[in-house]
Amino acid sequence: MSGHGLGRPFAFLWSSTALSNLADGVLKVGAPLLAVSMTRSPTLVSLVGAAATLPWLLLALPAGAVADRADRRRIMAGAGAVRAVALAVAALLAASGTLDLWVLLAAVLAAGVAEVFADTSAQAVLPMTVPASQLTRANGRVSSAQQIGNEFAGAPVAGLLVGLLPAAVFGAPALLYAAAAALLLGMRGTYRATRNTPPGSAPAGSTTPDSSPAANTTPHDSPAGGTTPDSSPAANTTPGSGPARNTTPDGSPAASGPGRRTLGRASGRAPSGPLLREIGEALRFLLAHRVLRSLAITAGLLNLANSAYFAVFVLWAVGDGSAIGLPPEGYGLMMTAFAAGAVLGSLLAERIAGIFGEFRALTSCWLASSLLLLVPVVAPSPWALYPTAVLWGVCGAAANVLVISTRQRLIPPELLGRVNSAYRLVGMGGMPLGAALGGVVAEFAGLPAVLLGSIGVCLLGVGLVRHALADRISRPLTSSAALPDITRSL
């Protein structure tokens, strides 16, 4: 896989993403393994995961605002440099024998803070590198690179390094992050969002029935859904072209094409003003936009339920007294099967959307994922679990690619970083709560109650989004008719 066919800027972005995610995979597995070698306290070991995820809860919204103010490529490169330096220092301390748990936690926390800014900007910069009609394809390639780096390559490399040279658990990711930052230099041009509406005009997202919040903008970004090529609200231009006012085949206004690489030099103004005001603008846009709001709420319900399900699933699946009876290595094989399915789903998302339509494809993937959660409950067998894990990966990754691409088309570029971060906060904020609820409910009501209850919540979420967006079932989510799905209250 590569950026072949999607242009030079995307090729550099994809290569940088692949290296960064390989570093993520090594650090994600290696840091807890190092912590276990320092302490046997479950509470202290769990702090490693908390240090990695806490920055998302605290900094997601500010990171989105920064991504809409500054050059997104430079933010990514700077974040990569910060991670490289922080982990290089930790590697030197580990090599000298002076690394302790608190230094490890500080290194993971610093990497986590930088990750929030890097990932938020990455989702916002991708639509500035490819034509909008290629967003689903591009997101699929990025998603597959993430799965390969995080799951296939990163975990075994981390296990090997912990045994051979513990300092390399930090040193190897430091080198990878530095190389990823250097690759971004190949993306020439300015990647700064601009607001092309004149001062004093209606705020972004406030539209008239015949206008689109994407009009006069460049293609939007964010890791999620996709659309078919003929439903894109962005310009039909080729990489390197200048700003153009085209229309898509369905007649919707198109954004400027990949001349978006020169966004910062385009006429217009970048978002400015107090940070809290800009964050509030993004939250109002998300809440007022019917399609985005419905997708975010559904994603929140699905993530909450899946977090509860998989927080206790290991107890259902692993051990002599479990329902499935897998050995620990069998559980690892299940995760490998899941990752293989996720890579396949990432690459098939564009074709699935083209055959069935974006909304049918998205909700069908969500529905299939939810129903597949029943398989290990009603057929607790390894031979049923492994193919089910592959299908979990296919459906989950395809849905993720589709919803990210949809957001990228619907969100104006000057709001893309902020609205994406707000969306992810709504969609992912319930995950820690779901995991905690899963453990508590299992303690008092048993594992089947958690598993079946989680499936029920998933099906409820899918039903809600199908009801809320019933008029979109046979039409593209990002057609001209969908773009004005935002109230005038902004």
Side-chain angles (χ1 to χ4, degrees):
M1 282 167 293
S2 69
H4 176 68
L6 292 172
R8 174 188 172 95
F10 178 79
F12 279 103
L13 178 62
W14 183 90
S15 300
S16 176
T17 298
L19 292 182
S20 291
N21 278 273
L22 177 56
D24 290 344
V26 173
L27 190 62
K28 179 179 70 174
V29 175
L33 290 177
L34 283 181
V36 169
S37 69
M38 299 175 185
T39 178
R40 301 299 297 178
S41 167
T43 300
L44 292 177
V45 171
S46 68
L47 291 178
V48 177
T53 56
L54 182 62
W56 280 103
L57 292 176
L58 300 179
L59 299 174
L61 292 176
V66 171
D68 287 342
R69 284 180 171 221
D71 187 300
R72 291 159 178 171
R73 183 194 60 158
R74 293 185 179 181
I75 295 173
M76 295 169 61
V82 168
R83 288 188 281 190
V85 170
L87 296 182
V89 171
L92 291 174
L93 293 175
S96 65
T98 56
L99 179 72
D100 60 23
L101 180 63
W102 304 109
V103 174
L104 184 152
L105 290 173
V108 171
L109 182 64
V113 169
E115 179 185 43
V116 174
F117 288 89
D119 286 5
T120 300
S121 295
Q123 294 180 12
V125 83
L126 186 147
M128 304 171 83
T129 66
V130 297
S133 61
Q134 297 294 322
L135 277 176
T136 305
R137 182 184 177 197
N139 279 310
R141 294 193 177 189
V142 168
S143 179
S144 63
Q146 292 170 340
Q147 292 296 328
I148 291 171
N150 275 303
E151 307 298 338
F152 281 125
V157 168
L160 181 65
L161 293 177
V162 169
L164 295 179
L165 186 61
V169 171
F170 295 113
L175 292 175
L176 290 169
Y177 285 132
L183 281 170
L184 294 173
L185 299 177
M187 297 170 60
R188 299 174 182 173
T190 301
Y191 293 81
R192 183 190 297 269
T194 58
R195 190 191 301 267
N196 290 331
T197 53
S201 63
S206 178
T207 63
T208 59
D210 60 351
S211 69
S212 148
N216 304 318
T217 65
T218 59
H220 321 315
D221 105 305
S222 123
T227 63
T228 55
D230 63 347
S231 67
S232 159
N236 298 327
T237 59
T238 57
S241 63
R245 287 302 312 273
N246 298 330
T247 58
T248 59
D250 66 0
S252 60
S256 57
R260 51 190 172 271
R261 292 198 292 273
T262 60
L263 249 180
R265 293 190 292 273
S267 61
R269 54 190 176 90
S272 60
L275 198 65
L276 289 179
R277 181 190 301 169
E278 293 183 13
I279 292 173
E281 181 184 11
L283 290 171
R284 289 193 298 272
F285 183 94
L286 176 63
L287 293 175
H289 198 293
R290 184 169 64 100
V291 173
L292 294 173
R293 180 181 68 244
S294 301
L295 294 178
I297 292 172
T298 299
L301 289 173
L302 294 177
N303 283 326
L304 183 147
N306 275 274
S307 293
Y309 185 100
F310 286 104
V312 300
F313 184 73
V314 65
L315 299 173
W316 182 261
V318 179
D320 293 335
S322 66
I324 299 178
L326 288 178
E329 58 269 23
Y331 194 81
L333 181 59
M334 184 205 75
M335 297 305 297
T336 300
F338 177 88
V343 172
L344 181 61
S346 299
L347 298 177
L348 291 178
E350 181 182 25
R351 180 167 297 183
I352 294 171
I355 295 173
F356 299 104
E358 54 192 357
F359 187 62
R360 278 199 182 96
L362 174 59
T363 55
S364 295
C365 285
W366 275 342
L367 179 61
S369 294
S370 302
L371 293 175
L372 285 167
L373 295 175
L374 274 171
V375 175
V377 181
V378 300
S381 161
W383 304 110
L385 177 62
Y386 293 135
T388 299
V390 174
L391 294 176
W392 279 340
V394 170
C395 295
N400 190 49
V401 169
L402 291 172
V403 78
I404 289 171
S405 301
T406 296
R407 294 205 312 263
Q408 289 170 338
R409 290 185 172 100
L410 291 179
I411 302 171
E414 72 271 14
L415 284 170
L416 190 52
R418 287 168 285 163
V419 177
N420 264 332
S421 61
Y423 182 103
R424 296 181 78 178
L425 193 62
V426 174
M428 299 169 61
M431 294 177 69
L433 175 61
L437 282 175
V440 172
V441 173
E443 193 73 37
F444 291 97
L447 293 176
V450 177
L451 302 180
L452 294 174
S454 298
I455 295 167
V457 174
C458 287
L459 294 175
L460 173 64
V462 176
L464 287 175
V465 75
R466 287 185 64 87
H467 175 74
L469 302 178
D471 59 320
R472 301 257 65 81
I473 290 178
S474 59
R475 288 187 289 166
L477 282 171
T478 51
S479 69
S480 56
L483 293 171
D485 275 351
I486 181 167
T487 67
R488 295 170 177 271
S489 61
L490 290 180

